[in-house]
Each structure stands twice: as C-alpha cells, then as structure tokens.
Amino acid sequence: GAGVSQTPSNKVTEKGKYVELRCDPISGHTALYWYRQSLGQGPEFLIYFQGTGAADDSGLPNDRFFAVRPEGSVSTLKIQRTERGDSAVYLCASSEAGGMETQYFGPGTRLLVL
Amino acid sequence: EDQVTQSPEALRLQEGESSSLNCSYTVSGLRGLFWYRQDPGKGPEFLFTLYSAGEEKEKERLKATLTKKESFLHITAPKPEDSATYLCAVSWGAQKLVFGQGTRLTINP
C-alpha cells in the first residue's frame, strides 16, 4: 500500500510569511508524528497525535508553530511569522496505534525561509 | 535529559570491509531502540527494532545488537549501495523518538 506522503516537497518563503505543510499518513494508522531535521542532524520531535487530539506537543519550539488533525487522518503543520531559523526538513511519520509500534516516515518537506 | 549519541560521525570503508556503528543512550527506562537508514533527500527508512538487552536482528548484510547501555549496527561485506546515513532512535516510554545525530557511511567500490 501507499506510504506516508507529504506536500509540498519543497517550500520557499520569505521571512514573516505563513506556511502550511501537509501530511497524509498510512491508511489505518491512528498515530501521527511531526519531526524537524536540520542539516547534518537527526530528526527532532515536534508533536504527536493519537486520533484527532494532540497527545504530546512538548517539542513545538514556540507558539508560532501549530498542528491540527481534524478528522484523525491528514495533518497540517502551520508556521506563522516564519523566521530564517525555521529552515529545515519537516518530516511526518505514522504508526498503527502509537505504542512501541514502528514509525514510518514520509519523504519530508524542505522549507527554506529567505 | 535523555540522550542518544552515535559514533563515528562519518565512516568511509572499502567494498567488502566489515565494520560496526555505535549508538549509546541514557540507560534507565529504555522501551525500544530503533535503527533507520536515510538516503540523501529522503525520509528515514525503518530497519530494526530492539527491545531488550541481548536481542539481535538481521537483514541482509546488516545485524543490530543491543546491550544494557548501547547498540551496534554491524555491516558485513558492505556494497556501495549500503552508503547512507544510519540513524539510531530511542523511546523511553513516551511515544516520541529521540534520535542520535547519525553516522554517515560511505562504501567505496
């Protein structure tokens, strides 16, 4: 079946603009995760959804970052007033139920803030 | 603070030259340790999950092992297509994964 998909694959924006990044998880997976990966580093956790609710948002760096998953499937990561330091690859992952199950990652969205 | 450290940062091998990558982590409360492979411009691809000390998993030329304080990813007779960044990640009971910085592996033909 299809894996995790993310759109857009690349996004270039200007400092101060608003961006939305979309994630389509594997069908049937109830758990969804967002991570951020800077060049040469491992991914860093941002937020975890179980169903429609954010079960753990402890990794969101500040209140400019927000994520939703209104119907328990597709999720959108929203970044307001973007800063150059937000430039990174944003990765989405999903797992069957959010326990110790394997997290399967999408290809990522490469965000560049000019 | 829970930490994951991978070594070396980069490793260059000749085709057929076996070696090991290391992942060390904060010891207490480990629930699961995961190995992923990441190719340039792509998302991490799952390789193995290990849950308890003494556990081993194998896949083709790769073998992952787990002790009480570290994990090793052994690569036997590697080929150029094994070139990638290998990421180790740990869960301490929360659903989030904490990743190391990765080992960038290059296999020269």
Side-chain angles (χ1 to χ4, degrees), chain B residues 8-28:
Chain B
E9 289 188 10
L11 181 61
R12 190 177 291 271
L13 300 172
Q14 290 299 121
E15 183 173 2
E17 181 184 1
S18 301
S19 188
S20 297
L21 313 182
N22 178 264
C23 172
S24 61
Y25 54 89
T26 306
V27 174
S28 62

Side-chain angles (χ1 to χ4, degrees), chain A residues 77-96:
Chain A
L77 179 65
K78 308 180 181 194
I79 310 174
Q80 299 178 321
R81 305 183 303 280
T82 52
E83 300 178 356
R84 293 193 179 90
D86 298 334
S87 297
V89 176
Y90 289 81
L91 293 164
C92 177
S94 70
S95 68
E96 285 190 18

Side-chain angles (χ1 to χ4, degrees), chain B residues 4 23 25 30 32-34 88-92 96-99:
Chain B
V4 180
C23 172
Y25 54 89
L30 176 84
L33 185 142
F34 301 79
C88 170
V90 175
S91 172
W92 282 276
K96 67 181 181 184
L97 296 179
V98 177
F99 281 84

Side-chain angles (χ1 to χ4, degrees), chain B residues 33 35 47-59 62-67 70-74:
Chain B
L33 185 142
W35 282 98
L47 293 173
F48 303 110
T49 308
L50 301 167
Y51 293 105
S52 57
E55 191 174 0
E56 298 183 352
K57 296 271 180 74
E58 282 190 70
K59 179 179 178 180
L62 298 176
K63 178 177 167 181
T65 62
L66 182 64
T67 73
E70 58 193 345
S71 176
F72 293 93
L73 185 65
H74 308 277

Side-chain angles (χ1 to χ4, degrees), chain A residues 8-12 88-90 107-112, chain B residues 39-43:
Chain A
S9 54
N10 293 280
K11 177 70 177 177
V12 181
V89 176
Y90 289 81
T109 292
R110 283 147 196 81
L111 175 66
L112 177 61
Chain B
D39 292 299
K42 299 197 174 178

Side-chain angles (χ1 to χ4, degrees), chain A residues 33 35 37 40-43 45 48 56 58 91 98 100 102-103 105-107 110, chain B residues 31 34 36 38 41-44 46 49 51 87 91 94-97 99-101:
Chain A
Y33 312 79
Y35 292 82
Q37 186 173 27
Q41 301 297 315
F45 171 79
Y48 153 59
D56 182 355
S58 61
L91 293 164
M100 285 298 108
T102 299
Q103 295 182 25
F105 283 80
R110 283 147 196 81
Chain B
R31 293 287 300 278
F34 301 79
Y36 286 85
Q38 187 172 31
K42 299 197 174 178
F46 171 73
T49 308
Y51 293 105
L87 295 165
S91 172
Q95 279 67 28
K96 67 181 181 184
L97 296 179
F99 281 84
Q101 80 277 21

